[in-house]
Amino acid sequence: MPIRQFQAQRMHAPRDFQAIANQPVCVEIGAGKGKHALLFSGQNPEKQLIAVERTREKFLSMQKQHGLEGQQNLQPIHADALPWVVHALFPAQVEQFFILYPNPEPHNPAQRWLNMPFFEFLLSRLKTGGQITLASNIPDYIEEAHQQLIEVWKLPFVKEVIPADSARTHFEIKYLERGELCQQLIITKPEGCTTRFDDFQPLQGQTAAAAE
């Protein structure tokens, strides 16, 4: 399906927005209660991970567990991911994005990640050679994203079946215990990949007051 251009300049900053430094980071979108974020940051102490979650209850659960475990390289963020990414991230700043078991949007396919104009902006924040991991338990979701990568985005990727003993998120554990097929696409930003947002600098909260 055709993808229109994302209107980044129209995004208001999330409430209580705080800017971040322009240094290499990994970002998890829709981090839930933080199981993967806590595991990843514990296993990769050399990497800085920002875990973004929109739902307050889930964010507070992640924040509480982070307080108990205390990883210095993990920063939980309570915000809607789209405006946060626009206001916070710099071009080619992100080493890896994780989008694990997103809402499949059964009644609104245009809101699926690889169908959204925003995906081009997300790509602009990824460094060359950086990766996006998109996981789902819904075969049609993965197949559609697979086709979008070939036909629209023209990006290299690997499609993998997630092992039955994987336990990165609470959803993943539940789906695998049910015997469901869980798959992931690992998408790489190749050398020479350009977007219309490569020179777009973060708004860094300039319109935060307007959002309130």
Side-chain angles (χ1 to χ4, degrees):
M1 64 180 66
I3 305 290
R4 65 188 188 280
Q5 185 167 349
F6 177 62
Q7 302 296 317
Q9 71 280 3
R10 296 184 180 178
M11 280 279 171
H12 293 304
R15 188 178 297 277
D16 302 323
F17 174 81
Q18 293 183 344
I20 64 169
N22 186 5
Q23 60 187 23
V25 293
C26 300
V27 177
E28 181 170 0
I29 294 175
K33 296 180 179 179
K35 185 173 180 61
H36 172 263
L38 292 158
L39 284 170
F40 180 87
S41 55
Q43 294 168 355
N44 299 274
E46 78 288 357
K47 294 184 180 292
Q48 295 293 319
L49 176 65
I50 298 174
V52 184
E53 173 55 42
R54 179 175 58 185
T55 306
R56 180 172 176 78
E57 182 181 354
K58 291 179 180 178
F59 166 77
L60 291 174
S61 180
M62 171 168 53
Q63 189 179 51
K64 179 179 179 181
Q65 192 60 35
H66 179 227
L68 294 173
E69 297 187 23
Q71 291 92 326
Q72 295 298 306
N73 60 327
L74 172 61
Q75 183 180 357
I77 296 285
H78 180 216
D80 186 314
L82 273 65
W84 183 86
V85 165
V86 168
H87 282 262
L89 296 178
F90 291 81
Q93 180 181 8
V94 178
E95 297 177 313
Q96 192 162 7
F97 281 109
F98 296 98
I99 307 174
L100 306 180
Y101 304 95
N103 184 339
E105 303 287 355
H107 304 299
N108 191 4
Q111 291 298 309
R112 296 172 190 160
W113 282 97
L114 274 83
N115 296 344
M116 289 195 294
F118 176 73
F119 188 77
E120 182 182 4
F121 190 91
L122 198 71
L123 196 60
S124 77
R125 306 298 98 172
L126 193 65
K127 73 173 191 177
T128 298
Q131 295 183 326
I132 301 171
T133 300
L134 175 69
S136 178
N137 66 314
I138 300 173
D140 288 348
Y141 187 102
I142 291 290
E143 182 57 31
E144 181 185 68
H146 177 160
Q147 291 303 315
Q148 290 292 86
L149 285 168
I150 294 171
E151 297 171 8
V152 176
W153 302 109
K154 305 185 189 311
L155 296 170
F157 66 93
V158 176
K159 182 180 178 182
E160 298 177 342
V161 173
I162 295 167
D165 61 352
S166 187
R168 292 177 298 182
T169 77
H170 296 288
F171 282 125
E172 187 165 84
I173 293 168
K174 179 173 69 174
Y175 298 146
L176 291 171
E177 283 180 348
R178 290 177 183 170
E180 295 182 23
L181 173 65
C182 293
Q183 301 175 89
Q184 64 185 12
L185 299 170
I186 301 177
I187 306 156
T188 301
K189 183 176 180 178
E191 188 79 39
C193 177
T194 61
T195 79
R196 290 170 285 190
F197 301 103
D198 290 349
D199 297 323
F200 186 97
Q201 292 297 314
L203 301 176
Q204 296 285 14
Q206 293 170 15
T207 57
E212 299 175 3

